[in-house]
Amino acid sequence: MRTRLLKASYELFTERGYRATTTKEIAARAGVAEPTLFRHFGSKVDVFEAAVLEPLKAYLARWSRSWVDVSGRVGLAEMATQLVEGLYPVIRRDRNLFIELMAARNDPLSDLYPAAVEISGQLRDGLRMVHDAGFAVTDRYGLWGEDMPATIGAVASMVIGAALFDDWAYPAGKRVPGRERMIREMSTLIIDGTTHRSPRSNESKPGNTR
Amino acid sequence: MRTRLLKASYELFTERGYRATTTKEIAARAGVAEPTLFRHFGSKVDVFEAAVLEPLKAYLARWSRSWVDVSGRVGLAEMATQLVEGLYPVIRRDRNLFIELMAARNDPLSDLYPAAVEISGQLRDGLRMVHDAGFAVTDRYGLWGEDMPATIGAVASMVIGAALFDDWAYPAGKRVPGRERMIREMSTLIIDGTTHRSPRSNESKPGNTR
């Protein structure tokens, strides 16, 4: 019963988003009475927590752990791939939910606000590990990690944004490129965009230490 | 009277967002009675249209026009600057509103939905002009514009996302870098990320024509 409710919840929340999904619809899809749903879960946000957030948090925790000691093992190309392939597909799959969470993160009165704070914090914790791994790897390559927080922020914004901004960030009149093309393009931008900085170009930029 | 109402509306909408702002507060800040507000504007969404959307649409229209015939005049570095400096500061300044518009773009029942469709469409029209200029400029440089829609989508996602994702895309425990640092970092990533592609690396990527 619980498993059926979780499956129906996950499907409805990811198809329609949190706000547009009712507990009545979840119960109907799971083939149970609505009071049964409330016996298993206290409220709509509790169903959401169990069906959607727990798996997402578990995924992000595994992704964060994947950066432990990455610095000694991999090169920049592998780092770029691990960043892009680790985030883009999962955020894209649940894009409607992420857009709702982003709005909720900005609205302390939303009942999704605590969830949004938790997920966003977990993402930033993972990106801190990417940041630290990035320092170690650029150091090993003899590259200039000029401004690693800005680099990670820009690159992570690209990966998250590309997964969410179908209606905003793609040229009009062109089909929004699919997953394979976006992953290849973003990996190339990250690798080429971070490996061609010379100490000279660094010194020539005023205010670099800010 | 109308000017005072527009000024008060703009301030409140950009400080607090659309939903959290009431017409009562707008009238109070403008020092007029609420019925006066409704005599000048039919509804809250009409005030929003006049105070926030009209200036934003005018800005985006100017920005779009700035790409006309850019291909013959400028280099890649100037293009990157024009893209980053044209979008990042204005989206960052109104970041709370943009987050609300993105949520509304996904929710046809929202009273901001028509505005979100219009603004997002205008942005994509502008990015189509960037796309076409990008083709002309890479051609002139003898570079490979391997997959221009993906390049523009990735780069625009970075610029928009970096302005919006303070709570999501930056490493934990590090201060979110300010405007100067982000503009410099993103310009570098775009220039280096697009100018180091050789025909050989192009051919070696299977499935490139997809």
Side-chain angles (χ1 to χ4, degrees):
Chain A
M1 187 82 83
R2 191 182 156 90
T3 311
R4 249 158 61 202
L5 280 165
L6 288 174
K7 184 169 175 291
S9 309
Y10 180 82
E11 288 169 6
L12 283 164
F13 283 133
T14 51
E15 279 164 27
R16 303 187 195 173
Y18 176 77
R19 226 180 62 184
T21 300
T22 65
T23 47
K24 195 171 170 167
E25 289 169 317
I26 295 171
R29 184 171 296 199
V32 307
E34 202 180 0
T36 311
L37 180 147
F38 285 113
R39 268 202 307 281
H40 280 84
F41 306 97
S43 67
K44 179 172 154 185
V45 79
D46 290 336
V47 190
F48 184 73
E49 175 79 29
V52 179
L53 290 182
E54 287 305 331
L56 183 57
K57 286 192 285 190
Y59 177 83
L60 287 175
R62 281 197 305 279
W63 179 74
S64 289
R65 277 196 303 274
S66 75
W67 294 97
V68 176
D69 289 330
V70 84
S71 54
R73 288 189 284 107
V74 306
L76 269 173
E78 289 90 337
M79 268 197 74
T81 305
Q82 189 167 332
L83 181 64
V84 175
E85 295 190 348
L87 288 184
Y88 176 85
V90 68
I91 294 176
R92 181 148 196 87
R93 190 193 60 201
D94 294 342
R95 67 181 289 267
N96 295 328
L97 279 177
F98 270 93
I99 289 171
E100 250 182 317
L101 286 168
M102 284 189 178
R105 181 65 183 78
N106 239 17
D107 176 10
L109 298 176
S110 162
D111 51 353
L112 283 185
Y113 181 72
V117 169
E118 199 175 354
I119 297 288
S120 59
Q122 216 188 346
L123 198 47
R124 293 191 62 188
D125 287 341
L127 291 170
R128 176 55 188 265
M129 309 201 54
V130 183
H131 169 277
D132 296 348
F135 257 125
V137 171
T138 50
D139 204 47
R140 184 149 52 83
Y141 276 62
L143 294 168
W144 285 67
E146 291 179 295
D147 187 347
M148 195 58 76
T151 306
I152 301 299
V155 159
S157 293
M158 173 174 73
V159 176
I160 299 168
L164 300 181
F165 294 161
D166 282 26
D167 299 316
W168 296 84
Y170 293 89
K174 296 275 164 189
R175 194 194 294 232
V176 173
R179 175 177 156 154
E180 300 302 316
R181 277 167 65 189
M182 288 313 296
I183 287 178
R184 182 167 52 234
E185 176 65 30
M186 291 192 286
S187 301
T188 302
L189 280 168
I190 295 171
I191 295 165
D192 287 345
T194 55
T195 51
H196 293 278
R197 305 185 194 197
S198 66
R200 204 165 66 81
S201 80
N202 188 47
E203 280 163 15
S204 70
K205 285 178 192 149
N208 183 55
T209 54
R210 296 203 341 153
Chain B
M1 187 82 84
R2 191 183 155 90
T3 311
R4 250 157 63 200
L5 279 165
L6 288 175
K7 184 170 176 289
S9 309
Y10 180 83
E11 288 169 6
L12 283 164
F13 283 133
T14 51
E15 280 164 25
R16 304 186 193 173
Y18 176 77
R19 227 180 61 184
T21 300
T22 64
T23 47
K24 194 171 171 168
E25 290 170 316
I26 294 170
R29 185 172 295 200
V32 306
E34 202 180 359
T36 311
L37 180 147
F38 285 113
R39 266 201 308 280
H40 281 84
F41 307 97
S43 67
K44 180 173 153 184
V45 78
D46 291 337
V47 190
F48 183 74
E49 175 79 28
V52 179
L53 290 183
E54 288 304 330
L56 183 57
K57 287 192 284 190
Y59 177 84
L60 287 175
R62 280 197 306 277
W63 179 76
S64 288
R65 277 196 303 275
S66 75
W67 294 97
V68 176
D69 289 330
V70 84
S71 53
R73 288 189 285 107
V74 307
L76 270 172
E78 289 90 337
M79 266 197 75
T81 304
Q82 189 168 333
L83 181 64
V84 175
E85 295 190 348
L87 288 184
Y88 177 86
V90 69
I91 294 177
R92 180 148 198 86
R93 190 194 59 201
D94 294 342
R95 67 181 288 271
N96 295 328
L97 279 177
F98 270 94
I99 289 171
E100 251 182 316
L101 285 169
M102 284 188 177
R105 182 65 184 76
N106 239 16
D107 176 11
L109 298 177
S110 161
D111 51 352
L112 283 185
Y113 180 73
V117 169
E118 198 175 354
I119 297 288
S120 59
Q122 217 188 344
L123 198 45
R124 292 191 62 188
D125 287 342
L127 291 170
R128 175 57 187 264
M129 309 201 53
V130 183
H131 169 278
D132 296 347
F135 257 125
V137 171
T138 49
D139 203 47
R140 184 150 51 85
Y141 276 62
L143 293 168
W144 286 68
E146 289 180 295
D147 187 347
M148 194 59 75
T151 305
I152 300 299
V155 160
S157 293
M158 173 173 72
V159 176
I160 300 168
L164 300 181
F165 294 161
D166 282 27
D167 299 316
W168 296 86
Y170 293 88
K174 296 275 163 189
R175 193 194 295 230
V176 173
R179 174 178 155 153
E180 300 302 315
R181 278 167 64 189
M182 288 312 297
I183 287 177
R184 183 167 51 233
E185 176 65 29
M186 291 192 287
S187 301
T188 302
L189 280 168
I190 295 171
I191 296 164
D192 287 345
T194 55
T195 51
H196 293 278
R197 306 184 192 195
S198 66
R200 205 167 65 80
S201 80
N202 188 47
E203 280 163 15
S204 72
K205 284 178 192 150
N208 183 56
T209 53
R210 297 199 342 148

